């Protein structure tokens, strides 16, 4: 199995696992952020050692899926993907998309907030 497929398998496992939590939305965002942080670290190590890289699309999907806090931390911590255009622009759009989706979930699905 290649690295990209393994990444998406981990993301799917996190999605399934978060449904068993008392606070599934919060658990999802925490797991997605941790996975995204790890993905940035793996990609930075691969870049330094000239190994097979994680596709930029995968990094953007993980960020848009709720892992953008981990992505921002990974960019700062590993000094990775901070200057490359058009990745920066696409990343900003993925963060906006993620925040808009998260807001819609909390507004449209009262149970998601855990307050009901």
């Amino acid at each position: 199995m290649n690295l990209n497929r393994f990444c998406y398998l981990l993301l799917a496992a996190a999605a399934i696992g978060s449904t068993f939590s008392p606070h599934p939305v919060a658990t999802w965002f925490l797991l997605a952020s941790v996975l995204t942080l790890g993905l940035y670290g793996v990609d930075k190590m691969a870049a330094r050692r000239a190994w097979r890289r994680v596709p930029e699309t995968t990094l953007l999907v993980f960020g848009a899926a709720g892992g953008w806090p981990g992505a921002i931390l990974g960019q700062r911590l590993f000094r990775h993907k901070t200057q490359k255009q058009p990745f920066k622009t696409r990343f900003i759009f993925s963060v906006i998309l993620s925040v808009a989706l998260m807001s819609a979930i909390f507004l449209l699905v009262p149970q998601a907030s855990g307050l009901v």
Side-chain angles (χ1 to χ4, degrees):
M1 180 184 315
N2 68 21
L3 177 62
N4 199 36
R5 285 186 185 158
F6 183 69
C7 292
Y8 284 110
L9 182 65
L10 284 176
L11 193 64
I16 293 167
S18 68
T19 62
F20 296 107
S21 167
H23 304 287
V25 176
T27 303
W28 165 251
F29 284 109
L30 178 65
L31 290 174
S33 289
V34 169
L35 286 173
T36 306
L37 174 64
L39 201 59
Y40 271 77
V42 167
D43 192 47
K44 180 64 175 190
M45 183 176 63
R48 286 185 174 169
R49 297 186 178 174
W51 292 348
R52 176 166 243 153
R53 303 279 304 276
V54 176
E56 286 186 354
T57 305
T58 300
L59 295 173
L60 292 171
V61 166
F62 271 59
W68 59 268
I72 292 172
L73 183 61
Q75 288 175 2
R76 302 292 183 255
L77 186 64
F78 303 117
R79 296 182 185 174
H80 190 52
K81 299 286 187 188
T82 57
Q83 299 296 318
K84 189 172 182 185
Q85 287 290 359
F87 182 84
K88 277 178 61 171
T89 304
R90 291 180 183 148
F91 176 72
I92 290 169
F93 284 127
S94 75
V95 170
I96 292 168
L97 173 68
S98 179
V99 170
L101 287 173
M102 180 176 53
S103 299
I105 287 170
F106 278 103
L107 290 174
L108 299 175
V109 184
Q111 309 90 292
S113 67
L115 299 175
V116 175

